[in-house]
Amino acid sequence: MRDAIVHASGARMRWVELPGTDPAVVYVHGLGAASAPYYAAAAAHPLLTGRRSLLVDLLGFGISDRPADFAYTLEAHADALAAVLREAGAEGASLVAHSMGGAVAIALAARHPGLAARLILVDANLDPYPPGLVKPGGSGIASYTEDDFVSHGWKEVRERVGAHWWATMRLADRRGLHRTATSLAKGTDPAMRELLVSLPIPRAYLYPEGEAPAAAGDLAAAGVRLVEVPDAGHNIMLDNPDGFARAVSALLA
């Protein structure tokens, strides 16, 4: 485990690092998650071993610190992650980023040109959405005010997301979790999708079979490689580790 100070408060982001050759592969988790539980099996897959791999937890999540005065916006997360990459000497890394983490990775690539050499987005958020919308299986965190979520909303969310997602979500700072979810609902400016199509680096988007992202044709026309992974839901790396490793390995080749 390694760490870097990324905030004026002295807060540290931490990551699990697997040794190997550079350029590094940096794995970024989604909302309420942590990178090691979600990516360990994939990062240790024979097709992906041998590369230097950083399984990073964003501020407020997993094993990283939870500063009270951190903004927990997508942009703030992106800047903190950029500081980690610089401290780790991982400039020119490939970012493999899931769900909300994909939105953070897009923001990082746009705000810190040259730091990320490649984006591999895993069923990532590309568009803002109404904060009050609770999709089947979704968290609905942004439908609460921050104080309501901290006082009681988290209990309702716990029941809604189920034991598997809650296993890591329960470790997150509740205010940080809410602020991150609220920022994700709002999106970036310009929106993540607009930033993604404008980036001058290799980009790919992994999605579950039969669930192509909205406006997939526009993404493909902008040079984003669309990769369908069978036998998987939203958590592709957990549902089909072999298929995930094959897809990522091909994109890194």
Side-chain angles (χ1 to χ4, degrees), residues 89-137:
E91 296 89 345
S94 294
L95 270 59
V96 179
H98 178 233
S99 196
M100 175 275 293
V104 171
I106 293 169
L108 179 148
R111 292 167 68 85
H112 302 271
L115 194 53
R118 179 189 310 271
L119 294 184
I120 300 176
L121 306 174
V122 186
D123 209 21
N125 293 83
L126 299 181
D127 304 297
Y129 57 87
L133 179 64
V134 181
K135 297 180 180 179

Side-chain angles (χ1 to χ4, degrees), residues 104-237:
V104 171
I106 293 169
L108 179 148
R111 292 167 68 85
H112 302 271
L115 194 53
R118 179 189 310 271
L119 294 184
I120 300 176
L121 306 174
V122 186
D123 209 21
N125 293 83
L126 299 181
D127 304 297
Y129 57 87
L133 179 64
V134 181
K135 297 180 180 179
S139 68
I141 293 169
S143 65
Y144 299 89
T145 67
E146 182 174 316
D147 288 341
D148 283 350
F149 176 74
V150 171
S151 67
H152 64 273
W154 68 270
K155 298 176 185 177
E156 298 169 2
V157 169
R158 176 186 61 192
E159 299 307 313
R160 188 153 55 237
V161 303
H164 188 89
W165 194 358
W166 187 251
T168 53
M169 189 179 287
R170 67 188 178 86
L171 304 176
D173 177 83
R174 289 176 189 165
R175 291 193 183 274
L177 177 60
H178 183 272
R179 292 175 191 174
T180 301
T182 300
S183 179
L184 184 63
K186 180 181 178 181
T188 55
D189 184 17
M192 295 85 76
R193 180 183 296 272
E194 295 178 55
L195 294 175
L196 176 63
V197 300
S198 69
L199 289 172
I201 60 175
R203 298 141 297 155
Y205 191 102
L206 276 59
Y207 63 93
E209 186 175 12
E211 299 181 25
D218 293 341
L219 294 175
V224 180
R225 292 183 62 180
L226 301 176
V227 181
E228 187 176 64
V229 182
D231 303 319
H234 179 57
N235 297 319
I236 297 173
M237 72 292 288

Side-chain angles (χ1 to χ4, degrees), residues 1-4 14-28 39 42-56 81-96 115 118 120 248 252:
M1 185 176 70
R2 300 191 178 182
D3 63 77
R14 297 181 177 85
W15 65 94
V16 173
E17 183 161 336
L18 306 178
T21 58
D22 284 318
V25 180
V26 176
Y27 294 89
V28 187
Y39 287 115
H45 192 282
L47 290 174
L48 294 176
T49 55
R51 297 177 175 87
R52 183 186 179 200
S53 300
L54 283 66
L55 284 65
V56 180
L81 180 57
V84 163
L85 298 189
R86 293 189 177 99
E87 179 66 22
E91 296 89 345
S94 294
L95 270 59
V96 179
L115 194 53
R118 179 189 310 271
I120 300 176
V248 173
L252 293 174

